[in-house]
């Protein structure tokens, strides 16, 4: 929970997750069944948001991306993040998608890099009034033809 939403107090529940969604954003769920990814059936195994950055109309923010812990290291996260990028670039006409991630969250960083993100810098944030912490900023840019 510290990596996902440092301002959220445990234990995580669906009401807290519902409060993450920003007014100018969209939330997405990933589902999977015995045959693989599916759109409308099967249990929810991933969650993420694409939020519009107010100052830039074609720049989206990927937030609160999470995969069921029982399905990690099986490619589910990579497929989910790739699908979110496809949604951002193809359907929402974004030019860029950004996110921040704790540097010690190696599995998430590897997932994002494999999906097409690149590290572009770092940021410092304080959560719940705690100490300032370093985060990595990653961005993916649309491939224009």
């Amino acid at each position: 929970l510290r990596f996902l939403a440092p301002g959220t107090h445990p234990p995580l529940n669906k009401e807290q997750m519902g409060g993450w969604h920003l007014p100018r954003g969209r939330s997405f769920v990933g589902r999977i069944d015995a045959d693989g990814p599916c759109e409308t059936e099967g249990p929810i195994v991933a969650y993420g948001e694409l939020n519009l950055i107010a100052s830039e109309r074609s720049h989206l923010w990927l937030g609160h991306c999470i995969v069921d812990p029982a399905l990690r290291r099986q490619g589910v996260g990579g497929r989910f993040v790739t699908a979110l990028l496809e949604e951002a670039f193809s359907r929402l006409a974004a030019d860029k998608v950004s996110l921040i991630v704790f540097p010690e969250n190696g599995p998430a960083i590897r997932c994002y890099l494999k999906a097409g993100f690149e590290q572009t810098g770092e940021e410092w944030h304080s959560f719940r009034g705690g100490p300032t912490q370093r985060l990595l900023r990653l961005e993916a840019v649309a491939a224009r033809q």
Side-chain angles (χ1 to χ4, degrees):
L1 189 55
R2 177 174 106 60
F3 287 150
L4 175 66
T8 302
H9 295 280
L12 181 62
N13 59 52
K14 67 181 181 178
E15 288 77 23
Q16 289 171 311
M17 291 176 71
W20 291 339
H21 183 269
L22 297 178
R24 297 185 61 184
R26 295 179 58 190
S27 50
F28 298 88
V29 296
R31 297 177 185 272
I32 195 166
D33 65 16
D35 298 322
C38 58
E39 290 198 23
T40 58
E41 299 178 19
I44 294 173
V45 299
Y47 174 87
E49 301 160 4
L50 290 172
N51 298 298
L52 185 62
I53 294 180
S55 62
E56 302 177 49
R57 303 186 90 180
S58 62
H59 187 179
L60 297 176
W61 189 264
L62 174 58
H64 299 114
C65 192
I66 186 170
V67 173
D68 181 334
L71 297 174
R72 292 182 185 155
R73 297 188 181 272
Q74 297 179 37
V76 173
R79 290 194 308 270
F80 184 63
V81 171
T82 298
L84 289 174
L85 287 176
E86 184 176 320
E87 178 76 15
F89 297 139
S90 298
R91 294 193 184 137
L92 301 176
D95 290 327
K96 180 168 49 174
V97 177
S98 299
L99 61 85
I100 54 174
V101 61
F102 285 92
E104 59 270 28
N105 192 351
I109 293 169
R110 287 189 293 278
C111 175
Y112 295 134
L113 294 175
K114 189 173 181 180
F117 282 85
E118 293 182 6
Q119 183 179 342
T120 58
E122 54 185 46
E123 298 182 14
W124 297 84
H125 293 269
S126 176
F127 302 99
R128 287 191 258 163
T132 302
Q133 299 179 54
R134 178 176 161 258
L135 293 113
L136 304 179
R137 183 179 184 100
L138 283 74
E139 294 181 342
V141 178
R144 299 292 182 211
Q145 309 203 15

